Amino acid sequence: MLAKDIQIGQRVLIKQNNMTALVVGQPEYYTPRSMLVRIKYENSTRYEHMINNQLELLPTQEQYPAHGGTHQRQENEL
């Protein structure tokens, strides 16, 4: 995933562990070819920085309405 395409509030898939997360911060400089992105795992209170090429944007249909999708947060999600 290119750093310029990342927007706060997008749902992404972490390639390493196949977990879904939410982008909660703007990409930050890491190396000339990589950027760190702050994410929050869904159904968790855990936040991490991930390298942008380890993230995969979920399809538009699985995004929140603000990003053109129809996904609704479940009541039991944190």
Side-chain angles (χ1 to χ4, degrees):
M1 180 172 195
L2 298 175
K4 66 182 178 92
D5 298 332
I6 297 172
Q7 297 177 7
I8 292 176
Q10 288 179 321
R11 296 179 72 222
V12 294
L13 179 69
I14 310 301
K15 292 179 183 178
Q16 294 175 322
N17 58 16
N18 286 329
M19 293 180 72
T20 305
L22 189 67
V23 175
V24 294
Q26 294 292 338
E28 303 170 16
Y29 180 81
Y30 181 57
T31 69
R33 298 184 67 184
S34 299
M35 302 288 272
L36 290 176
V37 180
R38 186 160 168 86
I39 54 120
K40 180 195 174 288
Y41 288 100
E42 290 190 345
N43 300 322
S44 174
T45 57
R46 188 167 122 196
Y47 289 85
E48 285 187 359
H49 281 92
M50 297 296 292
I51 297 172
N52 63 306
N53 62 12
Q54 296 174 344
L55 304 175
E56 182 178 317
L57 187 64
L58 289 176
T60 302
Q61 196 66 14
E62 295 181 33
Q63 297 292 335
Y64 284 108
H67 292 284
T70 58
H71 178 76
Q72 295 295 320
R73 183 172 167 232
Q74 300 296 321
E75 287 298 319
N76 61 350
E77 289 186 47
L78 296 175

